[in-house]
Amino acid sequence: MAMDRGARGGGGSFTLPSIFGLGRTRTGDGEEAAAAAASRAALERQLEVYPWLLSNSRPRVPEPTDLWSQLAARQRLTLAARRAQRLFPSADYPFPAQFVEDTAATAPLVLGLLNRPGNEDGGGAAAGLAAGNGLSAAAAEAERLQPLMTRGLAERFAAGAVALRRRHGLVVELGLPGLASGDELAAAAASGHADSAVAAALAKRTSATAVHITFGPHPVPPGYARQDWFGFLTLHVPAEDAEFESQPRQKRVLQAAMDAGAYVRATVRVDWPVELAVRDARSGLLRLRDRRPFFHMQLVTPHFTPYDEVFEPIRGAEKYDRGWRLKFDWRVADVDHLVEADRRRAASAEEKD
């Protein structure tokens, strides 16, 4: 029986069945990969309206890499933590150890609040708030976030969430892989109480990286000047006291600022993966999934004076004292250096002017 020359490899071509996945299929795989990359790039551009860093985003504030800068940062942290401990004079609140535990309980609640934010299109708590109080969707969403966030940070996330939904029909969902899903974090946020196992796991992976203390009246009155000391202290003092004259006088200026009150900002790094899922607002279809190995948060106290009671007793069911705890809650003032980067840009622009 005669055979075609191509079957013997003698100058023709023999097309293999498509099940072998060669030839045209390989080209198709490349096209699919290119299309997927283009789709992801388009989604990432849409996400630029929302203030969350992706795994391929550049850090907003670069961390020190050389040994000297790292040692200097560690020394500032040590000195600042010692001074902050004087503001929390209780053996039941060792700083920063207890602060880290407080942060580990706050972080999952904040992530839960950011999950699938509601507005006038999608319902939810923000939609009800907006309808009942005549607020815009962004204002209502910011108000929903403010129990755990400062106003400025809440407004940034609220505006981003509303813009993401209105412009692109997308919502975000944040989870802690291996620890809590987005739905579980949202449920905890709704209850106002973090799961104890989640908080305990995060506490083991959370470390303070910076502490900054501001002394002086708040809000700052007209006619006051700002002084920055040692990289971790800020003083707001009357302008006539801002010029250095002598060491004893400077000590008096410092004491007067301390008597006027203080607030503390502390930054932590949470070395637990955080996952962002971007979904279609109406169908819930997953459009993008992105994971980072860690995230940063900065928390701040309210302003308080040396004459304010900052602790209250912890009482059990038997009504006897079981120690002391802070009367106030730390609130999240920054996430992944979002606010800090804005501040640095503004300062740089002022210097150029």
Side-chain angles (χ1 to χ4, degrees):
M1 184 175 180
M3 295 184 63
D4 181 75
R5 290 177 58 195
R8 297 192 303 269
S13 62
F14 180 74
T15 303
L16 290 172
S18 61
I19 59 172
F20 287 92
L22 301 176
R24 184 165 54 85
T25 306
R26 183 175 299 171
T27 303
D29 288 346
E31 292 173 349
E32 289 178 5
S39 177
R40 180 182 175 94
L43 277 168
E44 290 177 357
R45 286 193 297 272
Q46 293 174 351
L47 281 168
E48 290 176 358
V49 301
Y50 190 73
W52 184 262
L53 285 181
L54 299 177
S55 58
N56 58 357
S57 301
R58 297 177 60 181
R60 295 186 178 108
V61 175
E63 296 186 10
T65 55
D66 61 283
L67 180 60
W68 173 251
S69 297
Q70 291 175 349
L71 291 175
R74 185 173 299 178
Q75 179 68 5
R76 285 195 299 272
L77 174 61
T78 300
L79 295 175
R82 288 176 182 171
R83 184 169 285 273
Q85 180 66 81
R86 301 178 196 172
L87 300 175
F88 307 118
S90 171
D92 292 322
Y93 201 88
F95 187 91
Q98 186 58 51
F99 160 72
V100 166
E101 291 190 16
D102 290 347
T103 301
T106 299
L109 299 180
V110 172
L111 296 179
L113 275 182
L114 294 176
N115 279 343
R116 302 192 187 192
N119 59 28
E120 76 278 9
D121 296 320
L129 190 60
N133 297 333
L135 301 176
S136 69
E141 178 63 18
E143 192 161 321
R144 189 179 70 87
L145 297 174
Q146 280 186 56
L148 294 178
M149 285 185 178
T150 58
R151 176 180 293 274
L153 185 64
E155 289 175 347
R156 289 294 300 276
F157 273 99
V162 171
L164 188 64
R165 180 163 193 146
R166 284 180 173 172
R167 297 181 193 176
H168 309 297
L170 300 173
V171 292
V172 299
E173 179 181 297
L174 295 165
L176 297 168
L179 195 58
S181 67
D183 287 341
E184 289 170 337
L185 292 178
S191 72
H193 300 285
D195 182 273
S196 59
V198 172
L202 288 183
K204 294 177 182 178
R205 302 280 193 90
T206 301
S207 56
T209 60
V211 175
H212 193 99
I213 306 169
T214 299
F215 288 118
H218 183 77
V220 181
Y224 270 60
R226 171 177 174 145
Q227 292 184 338
D228 291 303
W229 293 18
F230 315 122
F232 64 86
L233 280 180
T234 293
L235 270 61
H236 291 129
V237 300
E240 60 269 22
D241 294 335
E243 294 296 327
F244 180 85
E245 294 184 2
S246 66
Q247 192 70 24
R249 184 174 184 277
Q250 195 61 42
K251 287 184 178 180
R252 292 195 296 272
V253 170
L254 172 61
Q255 186 60 54
M258 293 172 60
D259 290 342
Y263 60 89
V264 181
R265 293 180 181 270
T267 304
V268 297
R269 170 172 164 144
V270 183
D271 282 293
W272 193 284
V274 59
E275 187 172 83
L276 170 74
V278 182
R279 298 184 181 275
D280 183 272
R282 297 194 178 278
S283 68
L285 180 67
L286 180 67
R287 299 288 305 280
L288 177 72
R289 192 183 297 277
D290 187 81
R291 180 182 296 191
R292 290 192 285 128
F294 62 88
F295 58 98
H296 292 93
M297 282 188 172
Q298 183 188 85
L299 293 92
V300 63
T301 69
H303 183 267
F304 59 94
T305 75
Y307 314 104
D308 294 329
E309 291 289 343
V310 297
F311 290 99
E312 63 185 7
I314 301 173
R315 299 188 180 276
E318 300 297 326
K319 302 296 184 182
Y320 58 85
D321 288 347
R322 303 184 64 183
W324 297 80
R325 64 184 177 192
L326 285 178
K327 292 182 69 172
F328 53 77
D329 294 321
W330 294 82
R331 288 203 297 169
V332 178
D334 204 356
V335 175
D336 292 319
H337 307 296
L338 172 67
V339 176
E340 175 64 14
D342 287 346
R343 186 192 66 79
R344 293 190 181 193
R345 280 192 293 269
S348 178
E350 287 181 3
E351 290 177 0
K352 291 179 181 179
D353 292 341

